[in-house]
Amino acid sequence: MFFNRNHIILLVITVLVVFSGCSGYEKLLKSSDYRLKFTKAMEYYENEEYVRAGTLFDQISAVYRGTTKADTVFYYQAKSYFNQRDYILSGHHFKNLAFNFPNSVYAEESDYMVAYCYYKLSPKPSLDQENSVQAVNYFQLFRINEANFEGDAEAKVYIDEMRNKLVQKSYLSAKLYYNLKDYRASIIALQNSLNE
């Protein structure tokens, strides 16, 4: 396949645009101007560039610890990971935010988001349900601590959904024992399912 002159010019322009866009961000990563990093991280977050925002928030989180902006940095760090669908890191950061800043304006939402991250990590019923159990536990804790928060009704729905998934998992385990002709284990699993 042969390239004509227009294709080559377009390719060169594209490469220059890509590299010039990266160079400003790369310089920012190496910079020690933490105020600029905070400002740019917020801009990237607002522009839905969550990977770049998250990277910058990671860099400045230690610097802002103990300042009046610390909870804001940690909140947007957690939200950046959440928007990248990295629910493990997002939940971890939300949990730290709720624990370290219980009086923050972000504390209630952080409590909810910890539970919601576990909910998002919950797999189909045939797999291990540890994340479903954690989701139920954290949603229940959230409902106790933050009874007036707007997410209370949603939390109840998610708890019911996770409980149904746990019951289905229990039933599938009993059925597996039955299919393997281990009837004693099947009876025990069914009794446990009924107890749950």
Side-chain angles (χ1 to χ4, degrees), residues 172-187:
L172 290 173
S173 296
K175 187 177 178 185
L176 175 66
Y177 287 125
Y178 179 82
N179 290 340
L180 294 172
K181 299 188 185 325
D182 189 348
Y183 302 118
R184 177 178 278 184
S186 179
I187 290 171

Side-chain angles (χ1 to χ4, degrees), residues 186-196:
S186 179
I187 290 171
I188 293 170
L190 284 170
Q191 286 173 340
N192 290 340
S193 180
L194 288 172
N195 290 337
E196 289 172 11

